[in-house]
């Protein structure tokens, strides 16, 4: 099954991890120190085929260098806690020779471990690695604010995009300029829901879209494009340090569009009841029009079901197409994440040789082609751009923005995950928007305060004076623009829905009239 659950909160419970040897892929006991001359490589399970792909690269490294390597694959859900335990405790695994020599970190984790002194500065390897080739936005996470040292190198890039079921999407006959903005996107979803188009032979209704709201871990990634495209942000820098920007006007304007979809049972019928993995499974099964996901789905569609892939799934039969990035009032800004490679402070000699080998362009290309994430090397991305399946994702990447490269972001992301799930709990109860407005404001205020506390920022904002500000922006009317090329236009006024038959009906009448006229001419 496809894996979309990547950046789990730092408060995840520590559990078992999968261990594999590069030689046999057989299980090993946890935290058993490898022989003194064996390098230990710790990476996450990055999807179907990732273990074998990395194993092949490491085997070549062993043949060329005669340096033995063991690989430990960690589950993303427990990785942060496991790595923290290995690197930061007084009796750490690293200090006892049981820890990693080369390590994969989620991009937002790099500043956290760099600030704690757990990972090695890598400036001496900049020339050898060829650091100028890395995607600029991805490389931001390699440094701390106000620190010129480089602590990591980007390995692959996680670009989030809108994937549509191609068979259904083509039936809508939409022009590119008809789905350029969030207003138009919501309009398309609304009209699709009204038509119950579905696009499949099944009588079951197809969900237009979903924003997850129950037990999920991707809330910040889903919120980010809405917020950034309207000029807002999660945090902002001031002369007194970083502060929460959750209640800033531009942030609230973006989140107004987010909530319009999030809480709307017509265009996101299952989102409040599910997490992102469940929504992905619905999309794969042909039960959802559009998915906000990662590029690995393209690669998974090439892998047979018997090997855990999607080649025999309904979505593979229907195909996928990439919806162009959506614009807000401040333009187009997409979410970009990914993973980096680092050297822990306590590493064996020759670890840098393995690090540089993994980052070599040919090896990075071979690995990312297997897992489906984009390589962090811009020169390789230019080659991928010739593949029509990835070219639109690469365009999305060019408008990409990543989360702030500050140590506190790990805690802030946990706050935002809790916040997004709390919103889901609230709206799931089925109360009217008016009934929950005060409770929504409370959730926003609480998250705002927690973020400021994490940042050590003393907030002078008065709650009583900002409630009307939050309500006025968050619950303002959100424009929905339905393209004329669809079969219905949906207009919302005072809670009433007026449905008008437009272009398709006219076209059908014209076609019938034309056929009748042709028949008449033939008779004459």
């Amino acid at each position: 099954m496809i894996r979309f659950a990547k950046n789990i909160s730092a408060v995840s419970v520590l559990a078992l991890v999968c261990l594999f040897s590069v030689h046999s892929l057989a299980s090993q006991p946890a935290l058993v120190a490898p022989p003194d001359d064996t390098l230990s490589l710790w990476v996450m399970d990055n999807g179907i085929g990732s273990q074998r792909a990395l194993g092949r690269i490491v085997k070549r490294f062993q043949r060329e260098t005669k340096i033995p390597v063991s690989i430990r694959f960690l589950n993303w859900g427990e990785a942060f806690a496991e790595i923290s335990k290995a690197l930061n405790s007084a009796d750490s695994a690293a200090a006892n020779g049981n820890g990693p020599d080369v390590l994969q970190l989620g991009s937002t984790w790099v500043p956290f471990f760099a600030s704690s002194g757990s990972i090695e500065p890598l400036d001496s390897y900049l020339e050898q690695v060829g650091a100028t080739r890395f995607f600029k936005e991805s490389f931001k996470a390699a440094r701390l604010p106000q620190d010129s040292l480089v602590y990591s190198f980007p390995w692959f890039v996680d670009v989030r995009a809108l994937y549509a079921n191609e068979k259904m999407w083509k039936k809508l006959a939409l022009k590119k300029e008809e789905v350029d903005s969030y207003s138009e996107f919501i309009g398309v979803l609304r009209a699709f829901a009204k038509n119950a188009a579905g696009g499949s032979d099944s009588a079951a209704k197809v969900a237009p879209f979903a924003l997850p709201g129950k037990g999920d871990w991707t809330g910040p990634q889903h919120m980010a494009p809405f917020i950034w495209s309207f000029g807002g942000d999660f945090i902002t820098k001031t002369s007194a340090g970083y502060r929460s920007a959750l209640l800033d006007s531009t942030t609230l304007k973006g989140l107004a569009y987010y909530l319009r979809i999030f809480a709307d049972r017509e265009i996101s019928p299952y989102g409040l009841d599910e997490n992102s993995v469940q929504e992905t499974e619905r999309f794969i099964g042909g039960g959802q029009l559009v998915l906000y996901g990662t590029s690995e789905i393209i690669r998974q569609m090439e892998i047979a079901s018997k090997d855990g892939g999607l080649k025999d799934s309904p979505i593979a039969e229907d195909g996928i197409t990439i919806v162009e990035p959506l614009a807000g009032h401040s333009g187009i800004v997409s979410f970009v994440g990914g993973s980096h490679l680092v050297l822990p402070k306590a590493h064996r000699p020759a670890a840098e040789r393995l690090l540089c080998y993994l980052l070599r362009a040919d090896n990075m290309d071979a690995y990312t082609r297997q897992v489906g994430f984009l390589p962090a090397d811009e020169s390789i991305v230019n080659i991928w751009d010739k593949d029509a399946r990835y070219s639109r994702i690469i365009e999305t990447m060019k408008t990409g923005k990543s989360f702030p490269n500050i140590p506190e972001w790990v805690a802030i992301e946990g706050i935002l995950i809790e916040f997004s799930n709390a919103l889901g709990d609230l709206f799931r109860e089925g109360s009217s928007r008016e009934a929950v407005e005060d409770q929504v404001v409370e959730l926003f205020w609480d998250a705002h305060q927690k973020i400021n506390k994490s940042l050590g920022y003393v907030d002078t904002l008065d709650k009583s004076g900002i409630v009307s500000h939050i309500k006025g922006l968050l619950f303002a009317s959100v424009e929905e623009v339905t393209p004329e090329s669809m079969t219905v236009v949906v207009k919302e006024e005072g809670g009433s829905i007026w449905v008008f038959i437009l272009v398709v009906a006219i076209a059908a009448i014209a076609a019938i009239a034309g056929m009748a006229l042709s028949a008449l001419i033939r008779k004459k």
Side-chain angles (χ1 to χ4, degrees), residues 114-129:
S115 67
S116 69
S118 304
I119 56 179
E120 190 82 17
L122 302 177
D123 295 76
S124 58
Y125 307 112
L126 287 172
E127 186 174 346
Q128 184 177 353
V129 168

Side-chain angles (χ1 to χ4, degrees), residues 275-478:
N275 61 41
S276 51
V277 169
Q278 292 169 303
E279 291 166 2
T280 300
E281 289 172 346
R282 176 174 291 101
F283 179 74
I284 290 168
Q288 188 166 305
L289 175 65
V290 182
L291 172 76
Y292 179 68
T294 66
S295 61
E296 59 182 322
I297 191 172
I298 296 174
R299 172 59 183 150
Q300 304 299 348
M301 287 168 62
E302 300 174 340
I303 301 173
S305 297
K306 64 181 179 64
D307 298 320
L310 306 176
K311 193 172 184 178
D312 306 312
S313 67
I315 192 60
E317 182 178 344
D318 289 353
I320 59 173
T321 187
I322 313 300
V323 180
E324 297 288 343
L326 305 173
H329 295 165
S330 297
I332 297 172
V333 187
S334 307
F335 171 78
V336 171
S339 281
H340 289 219
L341 295 178
V342 303
L343 293 179
K345 271 290 179 67
H347 62 265
R348 292 176 177 81
E352 68 279 357
R353 293 184 66 182
L354 177 59
L355 173 77
C356 294
Y357 191 85
L358 294 174
L359 292 168
R360 212 171 69 184
D362 57 337
N363 292 324
M364 184 185 291
D365 186 40
Y367 182 74
T368 51
R369 284 189 185 278
Q370 280 297 312
V371 299
F373 288 109
L374 294 180
D377 185 325
E378 287 195 271
S379 64
I380 304 174
V381 168
N382 290 335
I383 298 173
W384 283 44
D385 198 18
K386 296 178 174 62
D387 186 333
R389 298 174 303 167
Y390 291 100
S391 58
R392 282 191 178 179
I393 300 172
I394 291 168
E395 282 301 311
T396 301
M397 180 179 175
K398 292 175 182 176
T399 65
K401 180 177 178 178
S402 54
F403 288 142
N405 58 323
I406 60 172
E408 297 85 357
W409 184 256
V410 169
I412 292 171
E413 189 167 0
I415 293 167
L416 293 169
I417 290 169
E418 181 183 9
F419 168 63
S420 64
N421 285 320
L423 286 171
D425 293 340
L426 186 59
F427 284 109
R428 195 179 309 118
E429 295 173 1
S431 302
S432 66
R433 191 190 74 179
E434 292 75 15
V436 300
E437 280 187 3
D438 289 336
Q439 297 172 71
V440 170
V441 170
E442 283 296 323
L443 290 178
F444 270 77
W445 177 259
D446 182 58
H448 169 76
Q449 293 290 91
K450 287 179 178 178
I451 292 171
N452 278 333
K453 185 176 181 180
S454 294
L455 294 168
Y457 181 82
V458 179
D459 191 13
T460 58
L461 206 58
D462 178 50
K463 181 181 178 181
S464 61
I466 199 170
V467 169
S468 60
H469 164 79
I470 298 173
K471 286 185 177 181
L473 292 170
L474 202 57
F475 300 109
S477 176
V478 169

Side-chain angles (χ1 to χ4, degrees), residues 114-115 121 123 142-151 405:
S115 67
D123 295 76
R143 292 184 172 91
L144 292 168
Q146 314 302 324
D147 188 346
S148 61
L149 295 176
V150 171
Y151 292 93
N405 58 323

